[in-house]
Amino acid sequence: MDIKPRTLQWQDAYKLMVGSILPRPIAFVSSLDEGGNANLAPYSFFTAICADPMLVCFSPMRKGKDGSKKDTLTNIENTKEFVINIVSEEFVDKMNNCAIEYESGVDEFEQVGLTKKESVTVKPPGVSESKVQLECVLHEVLHFGDHPGAGSLVIGKVECVRIDNELYYDGKIDSEKLKPVGRLAGQMYTKPLSDSFELIRKR
């Protein structure tokens, strides 16, 4: 079967993307609006870019109803700072509750019962329950339309990586102790380490 995206409604193109690009890590992004109100929201279009400079990116899509920007994007454009909190099994339900579309200015930390953690290099707080936080300043943001189904690419420069002591060893992170959670299609999530295997790269 060959499907050309231009022949599809954006909702159907989206289903093909999330059903084939998986599992996807989750960027649980905390930010502040210009009034200092905290915002917390998950995004599964998220990956690393490079190590020097240390850059990461995530892609917030436009709202499906009217194509308006999500609060996270507006906050980052205005304040130039954010924190990506890595999601572990222990608080995945609370993360999911942050996907509810609250009114602007509502503090999702308070709504779902997560704890703010003062950041070292940026103003937005991290999630205390998260075992790894990437404190970022905005490097660049690219926009790809302003209609429902369109989105933006937010590139952040990591200023500080905060890691729970129990995870850190020999300059690395113990991913088994991190217990990361990944996103699949629909309502499905995955524990990517539950059935992992080793494959040595040939040289």
Side-chain angles (χ1 to χ4, degrees), residues 149-181:
S152 302
L153 181 67
V154 177
I155 301 174
K157 181 182 179 184
V158 180
E159 296 292 333
C160 184
V161 181
R162 307 194 71 186
I163 308 166
D164 280 13
N165 290 338
E166 65 172 10
L167 268 63
Y168 188 76
Y169 74 101
D170 193 27
K172 296 177 288 189
I173 292 173
D174 187 332
S175 54
E176 290 188 1
K177 291 181 179 178
L178 178 59
K179 296 182 181 178
V181 173

mmCIF file of all heavy atoms in Angstrom, residues 149-181:
data_model
loop_
_atom_site.group_PDB
_atom_site.id
_atom_site.type_symbol
_atom_site.label_atom_id
_atom_site.label_comp_id
_atom_site.label_asym_id
_atom_site.label_seq_id
_atom_site.Cartn_x
_atom_site.Cartn_y
_atom_site.Cartn_z
ATOM 1 N N GLY A 149 -2.971 20.824 12.804
ATOM 2 C CA GLY A 149 -2.110 19.821 12.183
ATOM 3 C C GLY A 149 -0.702 20.307 11.931
ATOM 4 O O GLY A 149 0.208 19.504 11.729
ATOM 5 N N ALA A 150 -0.495 21.635 11.935
ATOM 6 C CA ALA A 150 0.846 22.200 11.770
ATOM 7 C C ALA A 150 1.580 22.138 13.107
ATOM 8 O O ALA A 150 1.010 21.763 14.136
ATOM 9 C CB ALA A 150 0.763 23.637 11.270
ATOM 10 N N GLY A 151 2.843 22.506 13.091
ATOM 11 C CA GLY A 151 3.603 22.453 14.332
ATOM 12 C C GLY A 151 4.862 23.274 14.263
ATOM 13 O O GLY A 151 5.139 23.958 13.283
ATOM 14 N N SER A 152 5.629 23.194 15.332
ATOM 15 C CA SER A 152 6.877 23.940 15.456
ATOM 16 C C SER A 152 7.971 23.003 15.939
ATOM 17 O O SER A 152 7.689 21.957 16.525
ATOM 18 C CB SER A 152 6.721 25.105 16.438
ATOM 19 O OG SER A 152 5.680 25.982 16.033
ATOM 20 N N LEU A 153 9.211 23.383 15.693
ATOM 21 C CA LEU A 153 10.362 22.651 16.197
ATOM 22 C C LEU A 153 11.084 23.556 17.186
ATOM 23 O O LEU A 153 11.613 24.600 16.806
ATOM 24 C CB LEU A 153 11.300 22.250 15.065
ATOM 25 C CG LEU A 153 12.545 21.456 15.482
ATOM 26 C CD1 LEU A 153 12.155 20.084 16.010
ATOM 27 C CD2 LEU A 153 13.516 21.311 14.317
ATOM 28 N N VAL A 154 11.087 23.154 18.447
ATOM 29 C CA VAL A 154 11.748 23.919 19.500
ATOM 30 C C VAL A 154 13.097 23.267 19.778
ATOM 31 O O VAL A 154 13.159 22.105 20.180
ATOM 32 C CB VAL A 154 10.899 23.947 20.781
ATOM 33 C CG1 VAL A 154 11.642 24.697 21.887
ATOM 34 C CG2 VAL A 154 9.545 24.588 20.518
ATOM 35 N N ILE A 155 14.170 24.012 19.563
ATOM 36 C CA ILE A 155 15.523 23.507 19.810
ATOM 37 C C ILE A 155 16.061 24.175 21.066
ATOM 38 O O ILE A 155 16.094 25.402 21.164
ATOM 39 C CB ILE A 155 16.451 23.794 18.619
ATOM 40 C CG1 ILE A 155 15.894 23.127 17.348
ATOM 41 C CG2 ILE A 155 17.868 23.301 18.902
ATOM 42 C CD1 ILE A 155 16.660 23.482 16.085
ATOM 43 N N GLY A 156 16.465 23.353 22.021
ATOM 44 C CA GLY A 156 16.975 23.882 23.267
ATOM 45 C C GLY A 156 18.431 23.530 23.481
ATOM 46 O O GLY A 156 18.869 22.423 23.147
ATOM 47 N N LYS A 157 19.191 24.474 24.011
ATOM 48 C CA LYS A 157 20.568 24.206 24.404
ATOM 49 C C LYS A 157 20.568 23.818 25.877
ATOM 50 O O LYS A 157 20.089 24.578 26.725
ATOM 51 C CB LYS A 157 21.447 25.432 24.177
ATOM 52 C CG LYS A 157 22.915 25.197 24.539
ATOM 53 C CD LYS A 157 23.746 26.463 24.343
ATOM 54 C CE LYS A 157 25.199 26.226 24.735
ATOM 55 N NZ LYS A 157 26.003 27.474 24.648
ATOM 56 N N VAL A 158 21.089 22.644 26.170
ATOM 57 C CA VAL A 158 21.077 22.139 27.539
ATOM 58 C C VAL A 158 22.172 22.831 28.352
ATOM 59 O O VAL A 158 23.357 22.709 28.050
ATOM 60 C CB VAL A 158 21.265 20.609 27.566
ATOM 61 C CG1 VAL A 158 21.248 20.109 29.009
ATOM 62 C CG2 VAL A 158 20.181 19.914 26.742
ATOM 63 N N GLU A 159 21.754 23.539 29.385
ATOM 64 C CA GLU A 159 22.684 24.254 30.250
ATOM 65 C C GLU A 159 23.072 23.429 31.476
ATOM 66 O O GLU A 159 24.132 23.643 32.063
ATOM 67 C CB GLU A 159 22.070 25.584 30.704
ATOM 68 C CG GLU A 159 21.815 26.575 29.583
ATOM 69 C CD GLU A 159 23.100 27.114 28.975
ATOM 70 O OE1 GLU A 159 24.128 27.150 29.669
ATOM 71 O OE2 GLU A 159 23.076 27.497 27.787
ATOM 72 N N CYS A 160 22.210 22.498 31.856
ATOM 73 C CA CYS A 160 22.498 21.667 33.023
ATOM 74 C C CYS A 160 21.715 20.366 32.918
ATOM 75 O O CYS A 160 20.531 20.381 32.577
ATOM 76 C CB CYS A 160 22.131 22.401 34.312
ATOM 77 S SG CYS A 160 22.548 21.502 35.829
ATOM 78 N N VAL A 161 22.392 19.253 33.174
ATOM 79 C CA VAL A 161 21.738 17.946 33.258
ATOM 80 C C VAL A 161 21.714 17.543 34.728
ATOM 81 O O VAL A 161 22.773 17.393 35.350
ATOM 82 C CB VAL A 161 22.496 16.875 32.442
ATOM 83 C CG1 VAL A 161 21.775 15.535 32.534
ATOM 84 C CG2 VAL A 161 22.644 17.311 30.987
ATOM 85 N N ARG A 162 20.530 17.395 35.270
ATOM 86 C CA ARG A 162 20.395 17.036 36.681
ATOM 87 C C ARG A 162 19.972 15.567 36.767
ATOM 88 O O ARG A 162 18.971 15.163 36.181
ATOM 89 C CB ARG A 162 19.373 17.940 37.363
ATOM 90 C CG ARG A 162 19.660 19.425 37.149
ATOM 91 C CD ARG A 162 18.873 20.294 38.089
ATOM 92 N NE ARG A 162 19.383 20.172 39.455
ATOM 93 C CZ ARG A 162 18.775 20.751 40.506
ATOM 94 N NH1 ARG A 162 17.660 21.440 40.338
ATOM 95 N NH2 ARG A 162 19.287 20.616 41.711
ATOM 96 N N ILE A 163 20.738 14.781 37.499
ATOM 97 C CA ILE A 163 20.550 13.335 37.548
ATOM 98 C C ILE A 163 20.497 12.892 39.005
ATOM 99 O O ILE A 163 21.350 13.292 39.809
ATOM 100 C CB ILE A 163 21.712 12.602 36.839
ATOM 101 C CG1 ILE A 163 21.933 13.164 35.430
ATOM 102 C CG2 ILE A 163 21.458 11.099 36.780
ATOM 103 C CD1 ILE A 163 23.251 12.737 34.808
ATOM 104 N N ASP A 164 19.528 12.053 39.341
ATOM 105 C CA ASP A 164 19.512 11.457 40.674
ATOM 106 C C ASP A 164 20.808 10.684 40.892
ATOM 107 O O ASP A 164 21.263 9.954 40.003
ATOM 108 C CB ASP A 164 18.318 10.509 40.825
ATOM 109 C CG ASP A 164 17.027 11.249 41.125
ATOM 110 O OD1 ASP A 164 17.000 12.480 40.976
ATOM 111 O OD2 ASP A 164 16.049 10.573 41.512
ATOM 112 N N ASN A 165 21.381 10.823 42.058
ATOM 113 C CA ASN A 165 22.665 10.184 42.351
ATOM 114 C C ASN A 165 22.652 8.681 42.104
ATOM 115 O O ASN A 165 23.640 8.108 41.638
ATOM 116 C CB ASN A 165 23.076 10.463 43.802
ATOM 117 C CG ASN A 165 23.471 11.917 44.017
ATOM 118 O OD1 ASN A 165 23.824 12.616 43.077
ATOM 119 N ND2 ASN A 165 23.391 12.363 45.254
ATOM 120 N N GLU A 166 21.548 8.029 42.419
ATOM 121 C CA GLU A 166 21.499 6.565 42.296
ATOM 122 C C GLU A 166 21.579 6.096 40.845
ATOM 123 O O GLU A 166 21.888 4.938 40.582
ATOM 124 C CB GLU A 166 20.228 6.019 42.938
ATOM 125 C CG GLU A 166 18.949 6.468 42.245
ATOM 126 C CD GLU A 166 17.710 5.769 42.776
ATOM 127 O OE1 GLU A 166 17.817 5.073 43.805
ATOM 128 O OE2 GLU A 166 16.649 5.909 42.142
ATOM 129 N N LEU A 167 21.325 6.993 39.891
ATOM 130 C CA LEU A 167 21.362 6.624 38.480
ATOM 131 C C LEU A 167 22.733 6.804 37.851
ATOM 132 O O LEU A 167 23.019 6.218 36.803
ATOM 133 C CB LEU A 167 20.369 7.473 37.676
ATOM 134 C CG LEU A 167 18.965 6.943 37.470
ATOM 135 C CD1 LEU A 167 18.241 6.804 38.795
ATOM 136 C CD2 LEU A 167 18.189 7.852 36.537
ATOM 137 N N TYR A 168 23.557 7.626 38.462
ATOM 138 C CA TYR A 168 24.799 8.067 37.810
ATOM 139 C C TYR A 168 25.973 7.183 38.198
ATOM 140 O O TYR A 168 26.246 6.963 39.378
ATOM 141 C CB TYR A 168 25.085 9.516 38.203
ATOM 142 C CG TYR A 168 26.227 10.153 37.459
ATOM 143 C CD1 TYR A 168 26.063 10.566 36.143
ATOM 144 C CD2 TYR A 168 27.462 10.347 38.063
ATOM 145 C CE1 TYR A 168 27.116 11.168 35.449
ATOM 146 C CE2 TYR A 168 28.512 10.945 37.382
ATOM 147 C CZ TYR A 168 28.327 11.356 36.073
ATOM 148 O OH TYR A 168 29.358 11.929 35.389
ATOM 149 N N TYR A 169 26.665 6.662 37.168
ATOM 150 C CA TYR A 169 27.867 5.867 37.432
ATOM 151 C C TYR A 169 28.800 5.955 36.238
ATOM 152 O O TYR A 169 28.372 5.911 35.093
ATOM 153 C CB TYR A 169 27.509 4.391 37.698
ATOM 154 C CG TYR A 169 27.113 3.623 36.457
ATOM 155 C CD1 TYR A 169 28.020 2.762 35.829
ATOM 156 C CD2 TYR A 169 25.866 3.790 35.869
ATOM 157 C CE1 TYR A 169 27.671 2.077 34.670
ATOM 158 C CE2 TYR A 169 25.515 3.110 34.721
ATOM 159 C CZ TYR A 169 26.415 2.255 34.123
ATOM 160 O OH TYR A 169 26.071 1.587 32.966
ATOM 161 N N ASP A 170 30.083 6.142 36.483
ATOM 162 C CA ASP A 170 31.104 6.114 35.444
ATOM 163 C C ASP A 170 30.762 7.039 34.274
ATOM 164 O O ASP A 170 30.988 6.716 33.109
ATOM 165 C CB ASP A 170 31.301 4.671 34.955
ATOM 166 C CG ASP A 170 32.553 4.502 34.093
ATOM 167 O OD1 ASP A 170 33.498 5.289 34.281
ATOM 168 O OD2 ASP A 170 32.576 3.591 33.245
ATOM 169 N N GLY A 171 30.180 8.189 34.586
ATOM 170 C CA GLY A 171 29.831 9.147 33.541
ATOM 171 C C GLY A 171 28.601 8.790 32.737
ATOM 172 O O GLY A 171 28.310 9.430 31.728
ATOM 173 N N LYS A 172 27.867 7.769 33.177
ATOM 174 C CA LYS A 172 26.699 7.293 32.432
ATOM 175 C C LYS A 172 25.467 7.249 33.328
ATOM 176 O O LYS A 172 25.554 7.399 34.540
ATOM 177 C CB LYS A 172 26.981 5.905 31.857
ATOM 178 C CG LYS A 172 28.111 5.873 30.826
ATOM 179 C CD LYS A 172 28.395 4.468 30.341
ATOM 180 C CE LYS A 172 29.093 3.628 31.399
ATOM 181 N NZ LYS A 172 29.558 2.322 30.855
ATOM 182 N N ILE A 173 24.322 7.004 32.700
ATOM 183 C CA ILE A 173 23.055 6.877 33.416
ATOM 184 C C ILE A 173 22.606 5.421 33.372
ATOM 185 O O ILE A 173 22.608 4.798 32.301
ATOM 186 C CB ILE A 173 21.978 7.793 32.795
ATOM 187 C CG1 ILE A 173 22.342 9.263 33.044
ATOM 188 C CG2 ILE A 173 20.597 7.479 33.357
ATOM 189 C CD1 ILE A 173 21.439 10.245 32.340
ATOM 190 N N ASP A 174 22.234 4.883 34.510
ATOM 191 C CA ASP A 174 21.716 3.519 34.604
ATOM 192 C C ASP A 174 20.260 3.530 34.137
ATOM 193 O O ASP A 174 19.360 3.919 34.886
ATOM 194 C CB ASP A 174 21.827 3.019 36.040
ATOM 195 C CG ASP A 174 21.461 1.550 36.190
ATOM 196 O OD1 ASP A 174 20.651 1.056 35.378
ATOM 197 O OD2 ASP A 174 21.971 0.905 37.120
ATOM 198 N N SER A 175 20.024 3.130 32.901
ATOM 199 C CA SER A 175 18.686 3.216 32.330
ATOM 200 C C SER A 175 17.694 2.271 33.000
ATOM 201 O O SER A 175 16.488 2.530 33.015
ATOM 202 C CB SER A 175 18.724 2.946 30.821
ATOM 203 O OG SER A 175 19.367 1.722 30.540
ATOM 204 N N GLU A 176 18.188 1.171 33.583
ATOM 205 C CA GLU A 176 17.291 0.252 34.285
ATOM 206 C C GLU A 176 16.699 0.915 35.526
ATOM 207 O O GLU A 176 15.535 0.708 35.857
ATOM 208 C CB GLU A 176 18.022 -1.035 34.654
ATOM 209 C CG GLU A 176 18.353 -1.906 33.440
ATOM 210 C CD GLU A 176 18.899 -3.266 33.837
ATOM 211 O OE1 GLU A 176 19.008 -3.531 35.047
ATOM 212 O OE2 GLU A 176 19.206 -4.054 32.927
ATOM 213 N N LYS A 177 17.506 1.715 36.211
ATOM 214 C CA LYS A 177 16.998 2.439 37.372
ATOM 215 C C LYS A 177 16.137 3.634 36.956
ATOM 216 O O LYS A 177 15.249 4.048 37.699
ATOM 217 C CB LYS A 177 18.161 2.903 38.243
ATOM 218 C CG LYS A 177 18.894 1.762 38.940
ATOM 219 C CD LYS A 177 20.022 2.288 39.822
ATOM 220 C CE LYS A 177 20.733 1.140 40.532
ATOM 221 N NZ LYS A 177 21.862 1.633 41.370
ATOM 222 N N LEU A 178 16.393 4.165 35.779
ATOM 223 C CA LEU A 178 15.577 5.273 35.278
ATOM 224 C C LEU A 178 14.149 4.828 34.995
ATOM 225 O O LEU A 178 13.197 5.573 35.209
ATOM 226 C CB LEU A 178 16.211 5.843 34.004
ATOM 227 C CG LEU A 178 15.470 6.982 33.306
ATOM 228 C CD1 LEU A 178 15.295 8.184 34.224
ATOM 229 C CD2 LEU A 178 16.204 7.380 32.031
ATOM 230 N N LYS A 179 13.980 3.597 34.496
ATOM 231 C CA LYS A 179 12.647 3.054 34.161
ATOM 232 C C LYS A 179 11.874 4.000 33.247
ATOM 233 O O LYS A 179 10.767 4.436 33.576
ATOM 234 C CB LYS A 179 11.840 2.770 35.431
ATOM 235 C CG LYS A 179 12.432 1.701 36.330
ATOM 236 C CD LYS A 179 11.540 1.462 37.545
ATOM 237 C CE LYS A 179 12.134 0.420 38.477
ATOM 238 N NZ LYS A 179 11.307 0.210 39.684
ATOM 239 N N PRO A 180 12.428 4.322 32.082
ATOM 240 C CA PRO A 180 11.759 5.267 31.186
ATOM 241 C C PRO A 180 10.484 4.688 30.582
ATOM 242 O O PRO A 180 10.305 3.467 30.507
ATOM 243 C CB PRO A 180 12.809 5.517 30.103
ATOM 244 C CG PRO A 180 13.579 4.231 30.054
ATOM 245 C CD PRO A 180 13.648 3.766 31.482
ATOM 246 N N VAL A 181 9.617 5.593 30.168
ATOM 247 C CA VAL A 181 8.355 5.226 29.534
ATOM 248 C C VAL A 181 8.325 5.815 28.131
ATOM 249 O O VAL A 181 8.778 6.941 27.914
ATOM 250 C CB VAL A 181 7.159 5.746 30.355
ATOM 251 C CG1 VAL A 181 5.844 5.506 29.616
ATOM 252 C CG2 VAL A 181 7.125 5.073 31.722
#
